[in-house]
Amino acid sequence: PNQYTEQEAKKLGVVGWVKNTSQGTVTGQVQGPEEKVNEMKSWLTKVGSPSSRIDKTNFSNEKEISKLDFSDFNTRY
């Protein structure tokens, strides 16, 4: 399912990672221009991958950064 998240992130031009947890949730980090990060947050909240069910989303540790820590967006295992 994370392939859809990767596709959306690459389409928007944000970088970071996503990972499924053992609790059946998804965690990750997104970096990029604020408006693009907000678009990604909206997608994660409202759309998600076709097989997912979104009960709630929680965004934390939001801050401005001077440079990106990642060069692309990928899935961690």
Side-chain angles (χ1 to χ4, degrees):
N2 287 333
Q3 74 204 40
Y4 295 100
T5 305
E6 276 188 48
Q7 284 173 356
E8 187 67 17
K10 286 173 178 162
K11 188 175 91 181
L12 289 173
V14 295
V15 298
W17 57 272
V18 66
K19 178 183 178 182
N20 292 316
T21 70
S22 55
Q23 293 82 35
T25 61
V26 177
T27 187
Q29 188 170 0
V30 178
Q31 295 182 350
E34 186 177 12
E35 67 275 8
K36 298 298 184 187
V37 170
N38 286 338
E39 285 182 52
M40 189 68 193
K41 284 164 59 177
S42 178
W43 185 87
L44 289 166
T45 303
K46 299 183 177 105
V47 185
S49 58
S51 60
S52 68
R53 191 184 86 229
I54 304 167
D55 292 325
K56 69 173 183 154
T57 52
N58 178 21
F59 301 105
S60 60
N61 299 332
E62 295 187 47
K63 60 183 185 284
E64 287 198 20
I65 54 174
S66 56
K67 66 176 183 59
L68 300 173
D69 297 321
F70 310 100
S71 56
D72 61 359
F73 194 95
N74 56 46
T75 301
R76 293 184 176 178
Y77 299 97

